[in-house]
Amino acid sequence: MSVRTRVAPSPTGDPHVGTAYIALFSLCMARKLGGQFVLRIEDTDRARSSERSERAIMDSLRWLGIDWDEGPDKGGPHGPYRQSERRELYVEHAGRLVTEGHAFRCFCSAERLSQLRAQQLEAKGKVGYDGHCLALAPAEAEARAAAGEPHVIRMRVPEAGQCAIDDQLRGKVEIAWDQVDMQVLLKADGMPTYHLAVVVDDHLMGITDVFRGEEWITSTPKHLLLYQYFGWEPPRYFHLPLLRNPDKSKLSKRKNPTSITFYERMGFMPEALLNYLGMMGWSMPDGEEKFSLDQMIEHFEPARVSLGGPVFDMEKLSWLNGRWIREELDPEGFARRMQTWALNASYLMPIIPLIQQRVERFSDVVGLTGHFLTGLPSLSEASFAHKKHSPEDIKKTLQFVVWRLDAHDDWRAEPLKQTLTGLAEGMGIGVRDMLFPVFVSISGQPVSTPMYETLEILGPDLSRARLRHGLAALGGVSKKQAKRLEKQYRELQT
Ligand code: GLU
């Protein structure tokens, strides 16, 4: 049977470098062995999934040069490739598990479950479903379901013993069954959970080799059990080490820009970013750090995957990018890349209305728009000097803005304006005062192009990175300060 791999992102935010990392390894495996690589969109969380995010993920993967053989945009023999379009399949399979006694209907109310959880937490015991509805006679459960009573479907789990996972990178990993919850498979609204959907889809799509992040290892017993219940052969699992922040915590946007679009906007070459992601878990036989996708495919072997927690370090990525720029681009290539990066109409058009009224000569343009073409401005505490406000006040304002924008999704000018003016009101300060440290962090100067539009053009990741960079220039916020500020932030009215 030919090798089939997949990447299965959930379209719930910005296109994450972790998605590209998993996609890269899955792609290399499929290409090396002459198999196929599939893109599946896991959008069963209807509240959090968006078409915008799905599009951004696909665009970013394409920008990186990652191409799939089957997917929502391309179709293929195992479609549809979007989980929201495969609902009946999950309902049917969950029903089959109930009929065969591997799963059961659970009518417990949300109140009962939250009380149960609170009791379990208090008793410092195991937290999880207690099997209350297992006691229902199947005929009664069917009758209640037929009468329309809301319920979920949960899987049965062995009470004792160990589940042995044969991880292709780590060897045998054992997890005790009493650590595994009676997982909900189908929610009350008829939508599957990830666990049911991933198993049904990987099987029906003929996936033979699953590369995914190591955070999924603890879920693997549930998946293996489902394969056993269905009587299917499970795929081989490769749990890749998680990408980490320099402080070794899991890579998160709070500490490090994680969105592929950030790296695109910062002017990294896609080849270099892909190369760097490859380096995170893999090395060339000759130890050469700079390699292309084709070279990685040619030499790809899962045995060369290393398990140490790889640190995603922007300095190292910049060094590698520099090598790509110096060694791989001739002057024409360099010029072309600059155009694709930012010196093109589609990037410049939204900037023109922000500056045209202020320009007397075209030579004024560079001074007015430099911040659209740079990475992080060079800042010091002096950059934030203000007639009225102390550096401490400025820092507090900037920290509040960072928190407010961390929680804000819609990165268009108008919603940004609403959320930030709301913040200023809540803080009891003028909008202008609130925006002062934002202007400095974003543009390096207290005055610049209109801020909400500027943020929209720069995008969430570069904007957030600059605001954090501004905070750091102000000396950063210590843990103790952060605690105090968090309290004040929570007490804000809006
Ligand atoms: N949708 C899951 C994610 O976003 C995929 C996990 C898997 O590959 O099984 O990470």
Side-chain angles (χ1 to χ4, degrees), residues 435-450:
L435 284 181
F436 168 74
V438 178
F439 269 101
V440 175
S441 306
I442 294 289
S443 69
Q445 295 157 0
V447 265
S448 174
T449 43

Side-chain angles (χ1 to χ4, degrees), residues 23-37:
L24 171 64
F25 281 76
S26 311
L27 174 72
C28 285
M29 180 78 171
R31 292 282 174 271
K32 168 83 187 185
L33 297 171
Q36 295 92 40
F37 168 58

Side-chain angles (χ1 to χ4, degrees), residues 44 46 87 91 151-152 186-192:
T44 53
R46 300 308 292 149
R87 255 174 98 134
V91 173
H151 67 282
V152 300
L186 203 66
K187 295 182 269 189
D189 63 1
M191 270 302 196

Side-chain angles (χ1 to χ4, degrees), residues 217-275:
I217 284 197
T218 47
S219 298
T220 309
K222 295 172 190 169
H223 304 166
L224 290 174
L225 192 56
L226 288 172
Y227 277 98
Q228 189 188 318
Y229 288 163
F230 285 122
W232 298 335
E233 171 97 14
R236 284 182 289 269
Y237 287 104
F238 300 76
H239 289 98
L240 288 171
L242 283 184
L243 302 181
R244 299 189 179 270
N245 296 309
D247 68 4
K248 291 278 178 182
S249 55
K250 175 178 166 183
L251 189 67
S252 66
K253 69 174 176 198
R254 309 252 175 278
K255 299 200 177 149
N256 226 326
T258 54
S259 164
I260 300 168
T261 40
F262 168 84
Y263 294 94
E264 184 177 357
R265 204 59 281 141
M266 281 290 281
F268 286 96
M269 280 174 64
E271 293 91 334
L273 180 54
L274 205 58
N275 178 176

Side-chain angles (χ1 to χ4, degrees), residues 74-90:
K74 294 197 166 166
H78 303 279
Y81 292 90
R82 226 178 250 117
Q83 289 187 330
S84 57
E85 294 165 18
R86 300 170 64 82
R87 255 174 98 134
E88 305 82 64
L89 281 170
Y90 310 123

Side-chain angles (χ1 to χ4, degrees), residues 93-113:
H93 281 85
R96 182 172 144 196
L97 292 176
V98 173
T99 314
E100 293 172 6
H102 299 306
F104 59 98
R105 298 187 195 275
C106 167
F107 298 88
C108 291
S109 65
E111 293 79 62
R112 177 175 187 276
L113 294 175

